Amino acid sequence: MKNSNKQITRVFKRVMLTLLIVLSSAFTTINAQSDPVRLGFIPLTDCSPIVMAKELGLFKKYGVEVIVTKESSWANVRDKILTGELDGAHCLYSMPFSVYTGVGGKAGSEMKIAMMLNVNGQAITLSNDFCGKVGFKQMNKVTPVVAAKLKAEKEVTFAMTFPGGTHDLWLRNWMSIAGLNQKAVKIITIPPPQMVANMKVGNMDGFCVGEPWGGVAVKQGIGFTQVASQDIWKDHPEKALVVNKDFSSKRKADLVKVMKAVMEACIWLDNPSNRKKAAAIIGRAPYVNAPADVIEARLMGDYNLGCNQGTQVYAKDYMLFHKGGMVNYPRKSYAIWAMAQFVRFGYLKEAPNYAAIADKLILQDLYEEVAKSMKVKVPNDDMKPFSLTMDKTVFDPSNPAAYLKVVKR
């Protein structure tokens, strides 16, 4: 009888242990699924899709809890995505390729692009030292004025926001188009919201950054817009929804919900009647913390250029967030173009494996799945040759080496 009781006890203990393991596993799974998604952003106008998805209740609509956090710099965003402190963020589209190739981070570190957030809407701002000497889009006057300034002051400094990031690439392309030797000037890295303050105290002669900071520099009378990024390349890729590698694989269902909410916010933002409301919201201190009137004006394509240059109105090539699905598709050809710039401008001594890296870091299949479920058109122009608006050199994503042989450094 005693042996029988002992056997029953052992069986009971085994059953209870198994039940505890099952319950623990189930609780862990439920808890993981219920963990809020953490998305970061940098104070820039093009953080609007993430901010407005939160403010409009779209994350809640699609059944996912999202915590949106303001970050201090792109390097901070990079580090937090890689460690998993952030599940994803509003991010420079070229950053994952910069990091993976070792230009802007530890080589081999993976950050995944889920979708694009916007095109256009960045600018080259010059200090008032250039006012009256270089006008709007007067590219041929840049180099002579810089040369004179170098002779008088020994140093000319330009700022961008992250090595190999989009602002860095627009700045260097601008220099190339202007015929300016990049080794003759100093190029520094400054976080976007600190650009205006640094120019005000004379730390740089010009900068490339996203709005509203170009517009804020004009409003404060410390600089002027020499060219907008859409003048350099109309409808260029700009920011992306970039996510942590594990998050993209282990919480795919939540990522899909996030993407749907952000997509709907992008569609909402492309309705001009919604942009005034968006400007008022993102201008608040928890987000961009900048004057709503400056944000709204440039969101509407109405650019006060500063330096008594009047106003430039962009009717079809201002900041866009959707454009019938043309904006949001993450193209591998644009990834290859960005990496080709790393070789062009000396960041990389040898060409990387362009196609393999683009395949690894871009969640193109997932995007197509989400787009089709929302009846959003998926463009069919990926991997086709293209040229920038100012630099007419043809870039064939299937043959970057041919482009690098002829493009100006």
Side-chain angles (χ1 to χ4, degrees):
M1 187 73 173
K2 288 182 180 179
N3 288 337
S4 177
N5 286 339
K6 287 180 179 179
Q7 187 173 2
I8 291 170
T9 301
R10 283 198 297 270
V11 170
F12 178 76
K13 286 181 177 179
R14 287 198 200 99
V15 170
M16 290 303 295
L17 181 60
T18 302
L19 182 60
L20 283 170
I21 291 172
V22 170
L23 288 173
S24 177
S25 176
F27 176 78
T28 300
T29 301
I30 291 169
N31 190 52
Q33 290 175 343
S34 63
D35 282 347
V37 176
R38 299 186 66 89
L39 297 181
F41 70 91
I42 291 290
L44 289 162
T45 300
D46 50 29
C47 74
S48 294
I50 287 176
V51 170
M52 294 312 301
K54 180 74 173 178
E55 288 284 338
L56 295 170
L58 297 176
F59 291 126
K60 186 176 181 180
K61 172 183 174 179
Y62 286 99
V64 60
E65 183 184 353
V66 173
I67 296 172
V68 173
T69 62
K70 184 194 289 192
E71 304 301 328
S72 60
S73 69
W74 291 121
N76 192 47
V77 167
R78 172 201 61 200
D79 294 345
K80 287 187 175 182
I81 290 179
L82 289 175
T83 61
E85 188 174 343
L86 287 175
D87 297 305
H90 149 255
C91 197
L92 303 160
Y93 102 86
S94 57
M95 185 192 287
F97 313 110
S98 171
V99 172
Y100 188 85
T101 57
V103 172
K106 183 181 177 182
S109 301
E110 295 182 31
M111 302 162 69
K112 305 284 189 176
I113 292 182
M115 64 184 289
M116 297 298 296
L117 299 179
N118 75 295
V119 298
N120 305 325
Q122 322 301 298
I124 304 289
T125 300
L126 296 181
S127 73
N128 286 335
D129 286 353
F130 290 85
C131 183
K133 302 171 185 176
V134 179
F136 179 62
K137 293 203 289 189
Q138 291 181 337
M139 305 301 288
N140 62 324
K141 293 189 177 182
V142 173
T143 295
V145 174
V146 170
K149 194 171 177 63
L150 279 169
K151 188 175 181 180
E153 302 175 15
K154 308 302 181 187
E155 186 173 88
V156 171
T157 301
F158 293 104
M160 48 76 179
T161 63
F162 187 84
T166 54
H167 303 130
D168 188 18
L169 299 186
W170 311 146
L171 178 66
R172 293 177 189 273
N173 270 269
W174 172 76
M175 290 182 180
S176 175
I177 294 164
L180 181 59
N181 181 356
Q182 295 172 41
K183 293 180 180 179
V185 301
K186 185 178 180 182
I187 299 176
I188 61 175
T189 302
I190 300 288
Q194 296 177 25
M195 286 291 189
V196 175
N198 273 272
M199 180 173 277
K200 188 178 292 185
V201 296
N203 287 343
M204 86 271 283
D205 299 282
F207 61 74
C208 182
V209 74
E211 296 302 339
W213 304 115
V216 170
V218 170
K219 180 166 184 172
Q220 293 188 8
I222 65 166
F224 65 96
T225 300
Q226 198 277 326
V227 69
S229 57
Q230 54 264 39
D231 296 313
I232 297 171
W233 181 4
K234 180 182 176 182
D235 290 349
H236 65 78
E238 184 50 44
K239 301 303 189 300
L241 175 62
V242 173
V243 297
N244 170 271
K245 179 184 177 182
D246 286 344
F247 175 73
S248 70
S249 60
K250 296 177 181 179
R251 296 183 65 183
K252 180 181 172 182
D254 282 337
L255 175 54
V256 166
K257 293 172 184 176
V258 167
M259 291 170 69
K260 287 182 177 180
V262 171
M263 182 82 81
E264 188 167 329
C266 287
I267 294 169
W268 184 88
L269 283 160
D270 261 10
N271 183 337
S273 65
N274 291 329
R275 293 200 168 193
K276 185 178 183 68
K277 179 179 179 180
I281 291 172
I282 67 170
R284 296 172 187 165
Y287 299 128
V288 178
N289 193 24
D293 62 331
V294 175
I295 296 173
E296 181 187 348
R298 295 212 167 187
L299 262 179
M300 299 302 292
D302 188 359
Y303 282 49
N304 174 6
L305 299 173
C307 186
N308 300 312
Q309 296 183 111
T311 299
Q312 172 72 15
V313 176
Y314 293 93
K316 295 182 179 179
D317 51 355
Y318 50 0
M319 189 179 289
L320 297 170
F321 299 92
H322 185 63
K323 200 178 180 181
M326 292 299 293
V327 170
N328 308 114
Y329 185 49
R331 293 168 177 82
K332 294 179 181 179
S333 56
Y334 291 167
I336 295 170
W337 180 87
M339 287 184 279
Q341 305 309 300
F342 302 161
V343 178
R344 175 188 179 188
F345 295 126
Y347 277 129
L348 297 177
K349 293 182 179 180
E350 297 180 356
N353 190 334
Y354 296 108
I357 295 171
D359 288 343
K360 182 185 288 287
L361 301 185
I362 298 177
L363 303 175
Q364 201 173 75
D365 290 344
L366 181 62
Y367 174 81
E368 290 176 2
E369 175 188 319
V370 169
K372 288 173 183 176
S373 73
M374 298 185 73
K375 295 182 170 53
V376 170
K377 181 180 179 181
V378 175
N380 61 359
D381 61 352
D382 198 9
M383 297 305 290
K384 293 182 179 179
F386 60 87
S387 297
L388 276 60
T389 307
M390 283 190 173
D391 180 358
K392 302 296 184 182
T393 308
V394 175
F395 180 78
D396 183 349
S398 299
N399 190 3
Y403 161 86
L404 289 170
K405 286 179 181 179
V406 298
V407 72
K408 291 193 299 181
R409 292 299 195 264

